[in-house]
């Protein structure tokens, strides 16, 4: 039978980014139903701030600038995107409202978007975070009208008589219904409905009427003079949309191998609720099957989940937080920079011979027990023209992290690191670890974080 503490650890890993030191003692004795109620009480939304200055230049004017001015604007935007990245990462680590941030992380990957304009990036991220626990319709509309997404998927080029299908296609294939639930004709007609959807120089959504196709469209079996809002509502009328989102959430929160019967039941409830995200999460996290052994300790942590989990367990001061960008790049998941519109992979895709070794070394590196001997690959979007980044890569071997070991040792006093940090018992004996770590509590904690089982949640 699964103990309450194991259930609490499981919930902390799936509804958040793992237990903080403050939660460890409470969770040992607390019924998991009480823990869920704590997660369900989401706090007020606080936007992530980003840096602005009097030197702001409208990014849409880049084509009119000379090479030097263009380079300066690009550098400024990259610096701000790094700041937004680190603010988001820091919020994941320290927020009491862990459920909101975990879901914001999920939706950030679901609505994958990569743009250089830092204002656009921060706006989209805050729209996602604001709606992460609300209604999926509101979230879908907010994302679809965000300048970042319209820019990324080229909808500002979608005009009457010359429709650009990129935005319409990805909305259906990746954001809502999934492949196989629409035709190429539906894509063309949806693209016509989205003609004119754009943004102005103040990064506000606008519909440019002169570019909008006012003609009749035939979309998913319906006929009418549809605009973009109507197309999104028709998409939401499709049960396939609820099932596609539910399956993806199940794979993220429960198990990479989806249980079809459970997904079908959950998706029907999700559809009937009018796409209430928080209600769907409650159904998942309060279900007895969620705490079945088959669903505990079976998921490979993504790089961000790994990094944030370590930082929540080991409270630390980071003198040069920009170094965390390097670790995101090396581990293969950099916030705001998905590899493509499909987002990041999951599961075993996170693990190969090089990344597994680094993942198991990160706790030692951050604790100052070993250097980092790898170089990240170049990324033109992030690195081009940035002397600061190149200098950063020369110095990142010293992360300049100071861990509050007194606080850690107090929380772990008379507690087994295996019990607190792992969901699965290690493949080798506890006695072997004790022999390797000796009586040093710090070493025992770090070495527990370096074994393969710590990569699972």
């Amino acid at each position: 039978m699964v103990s309450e503490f194991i259930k609490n650890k499981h919930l902390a890993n799936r509804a958040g980014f793992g237990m903080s030191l403050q939660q460890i003692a409470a969770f040992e004795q607390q019924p998991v139903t009480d823990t869920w109620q704590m997660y369900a009480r989401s706090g007020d939304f606080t936007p992530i701030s980003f840096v602005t200055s009097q030197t702001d230049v409208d990014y849409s004017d880049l084509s009119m600038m000379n090479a030097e001015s263009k380079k300066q604007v690009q550098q400024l935007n990259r610096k701000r995107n790094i700041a937004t990245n680190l603010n988001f990462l820091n919020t994941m680590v320290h927020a009491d409202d862990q459920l909101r941030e975990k879901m914001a992380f999920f939706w950030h990957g679901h609505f994958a978007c990569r743009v250089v304009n830092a204002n656009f990036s921060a706006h989209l991220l805050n729209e996602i975070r604001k709606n992460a626990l609300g209604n999926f319709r509101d979230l879908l509309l907010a994302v679809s009208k965000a300048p970042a997404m319209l820019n990324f998927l080229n909808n500002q080029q979608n005009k009457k008589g010359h429709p650009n299908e990129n935005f319409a296609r990805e909305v259906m294939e990746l954001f809502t219904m999934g492949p196989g639930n629409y035709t190429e004709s539906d894509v063309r007609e949806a693209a016509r409905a989205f003609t004119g959807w754009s943004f102005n120089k103040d990064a506000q959504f606008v519909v440019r009427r002169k570019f909008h196709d006012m003609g009749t469209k035939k979309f998913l079996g319906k006929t009418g003079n549809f605009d973009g809002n109507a197309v999104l509502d028709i998409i939401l009328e499709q049960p396939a949309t609820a099932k596609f989102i539910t399956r993806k959430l199940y794979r993220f929160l429960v198990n990479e191998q989806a249980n079809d019967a459970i997904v079908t039941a959950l998706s029907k409830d999700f559809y009937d609720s009018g796409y209430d995200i928080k209600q769907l999460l409650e159904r998942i996290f309060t279900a007895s099957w969620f705490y079945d052994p088959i669903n505990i300790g079976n998921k490979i942590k993504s790089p961000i989940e790994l990094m944030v989990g370590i930082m929540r367990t080991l409270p630390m001061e980071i003198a040069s937080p920009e170094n965390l960008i390097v670790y995101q790049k090396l581990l293969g998941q950099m916030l705001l920079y998905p590899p493509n519109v499909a987002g990041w992979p999951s599961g075993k895709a996170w693990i190969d011979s090089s990344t597994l070794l680094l993942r198991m070394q990160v706790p030692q590196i951050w604790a100052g027990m070993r250097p980092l001997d790898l170089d990240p690959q170049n990324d033109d979007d992030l690195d081009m023209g940035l002397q600061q980044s190149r200098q950063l890569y020369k110095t990142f071997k010293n992360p300049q992290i100071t861990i509050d070991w007194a606080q850690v040792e107090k929380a772990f006093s008379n507690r087994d690191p295996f019990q607190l940090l792992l969901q699965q018992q290690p493949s080798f004996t506890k006695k072997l670890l004790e022999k390797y770590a000796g009586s040093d509590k710090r070493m025992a904690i770090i070495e527990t974080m370096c074994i393969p089982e710590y990569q699972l949640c």
Side-chain angles (χ1 to χ4, degrees), residues 30-128:
Q30 185 168 283
V32 72
T33 50
D34 292 347
T35 304
W36 161 247
Q37 289 303 318
M38 182 190 71
Y39 278 101
R41 290 192 297 270
S42 57
D44 294 334
F45 167 70
T46 303
I48 289 176
S49 61
F50 58 99
V51 180
T52 59
S53 74
Q54 295 180 346
T55 61
D56 279 359
V57 179
D58 182 4
Y59 194 80
S60 64
D61 290 339
L62 271 182
S63 61
M64 303 169 58
M65 299 177 189
N66 60 38
E68 184 58 32
S69 296
K70 184 184 295 186
K71 180 179 177 179
Q72 290 176 0
V73 174
Q74 290 173 329
Q75 288 180 352
L76 179 63
N77 274 281
R78 291 187 187 94
K79 290 178 182 178
R80 291 180 180 172
N81 270 325
I82 288 175
T84 301
N85 173 305
L86 295 174
N87 284 340
F88 188 22
L89 190 72
N90 185 67
T91 303
M92 292 182 202
V93 174
H94 298 291
D96 292 330
D97 196 355
Q98 282 283 291
L99 181 60
R100 178 185 298 279
E101 301 309 324
K102 187 62 174 281
M103 287 306 299
F105 174 62
F106 168 79
W107 294 123
H108 168 67
H110 178 74
F111 294 109
C113 182
R114 176 171 176 159
V115 293
V116 176
N117 188 312
N119 291 2
F120 288 7
S121 296
H123 170 264
L124 176 60
L125 178 58
N126 281 326
E127 286 296 318
I128 287 173

Side-chain angles (χ1 to χ4, degrees), residues 74-83 85 114-116 322 324-326 328-329 334-337 376-390 392-393:
Q74 290 173 329
Q75 288 180 352
L76 179 63
N77 274 281
R78 291 187 187 94
K79 290 178 182 178
R80 291 180 180 172
N81 270 325
I82 288 175
N85 173 305
R114 176 171 176 159
V115 293
V116 176
E322 296 85 0
L324 298 178
I325 297 292
V326 176
Q328 291 179 48
K329 290 188 67 176
M334 185 170 172
L335 297 171
L336 308 183
Y337 286 83
Q377 295 180 348
N378 290 332
D379 186 317
D380 288 343
D381 282 353
L382 180 66
D383 303 331
M384 187 173 61
L386 270 184
Q387 293 292 336
Q388 182 184 20
S389 287
R390 288 195 286 271
L392 168 64
Y393 298 155

Side-chain angles (χ1 to χ4, degrees), residues 171-172 176-178 180-190 217-224 226 230-241:
V171 164
M172 289 187 280
T176 56
M177 294 185 291
N181 292 300
Y182 57 89
T183 66
E184 286 301 306
S185 176
D186 291 323
V187 173
R188 290 191 294 271
E189 296 294 271
K217 294 99 177 172
K218 296 181 180 179
F219 179 67
L220 291 177
K222 293 195 172 186
T223 301
F226 302 133
V231 161
L232 292 177
D233 281 336
I234 293 171
I235 288 173
L236 291 168
E237 291 172 4
Q238 313 305 309
T241 298

Side-chain angles (χ1 to χ4, degrees), residues 199-363:
F199 49 89
N200 60 24
K201 65 178 182 179
D202 297 319
Q204 296 173 326
F205 171 76
V206 295
V207 178
R208 303 195 186 281
R209 297 296 176 185
K210 66 179 181 179
F211 296 138
H212 178 63
D213 186 337
M214 298 293 292
T216 299
K217 294 99 177 172
K218 296 181 180 179
F219 179 67
L220 291 177
K222 293 195 172 186
T223 301
N225 182 15
F226 302 133
D227 62 6
N229 291 315
V231 161
L232 292 177
D233 281 336
I234 293 171
I235 288 173
L236 291 168
E237 291 172 4
Q238 313 305 309
T241 298
K243 193 163 188 177
F244 180 77
I245 299 300
T246 302
R247 179 175 294 273
K248 194 166 182 179
L249 269 169
Y250 184 97
R251 294 183 66 233
F252 177 76
L253 296 171
V254 184
N255 197 311
E256 284 278 340
Q257 303 300 318
N259 182 304
D260 289 337
I262 292 176
V263 168
T264 298
L266 288 173
S267 66
K268 184 180 184 303
D269 289 346
F270 188 39
Y271 184 84
D272 292 343
S273 75
Y275 290 93
D276 187 321
I277 297 170
K278 198 168 184 178
Q279 182 174 311
L280 174 60
L281 297 180
E282 183 170 6
R283 285 290 312 277
I284 292 172
F285 291 131
T286 60
S288 59
W289 48 256
F290 177 74
Y291 300 97
D292 286 345
I294 194 174
N295 294 324
I296 296 177
N298 68 343
K299 287 184 80 271
I300 297 173
K301 298 174 185 176
S302 73
I304 293 298
E305 289 172 318
L306 177 67
M307 291 174 61
V308 173
I310 294 172
M311 287 188 278
R312 280 181 62 76
T313 302
L314 302 179
M316 55 183 68
E317 293 291 333
I318 307 174
S320 299
E322 296 85 0
N323 280 313
L324 298 178
I325 297 292
V326 176
Y327 287 88
Q328 291 179 48
K329 290 188 67 176
L330 285 170
L331 293 170
Q333 188 177 36
M334 185 170 172
L335 297 171
L336 308 183
Y337 286 83
N340 51 56
V341 70
W344 290 280
S346 61
K348 293 181 180 179
W350 289 125
I351 301 295
D352 59 36
S353 57
S354 60
T355 56
L356 178 58
L357 180 61
L358 176 59
R359 288 167 68 108
M360 292 167 56
Q361 290 178 347
V362 165

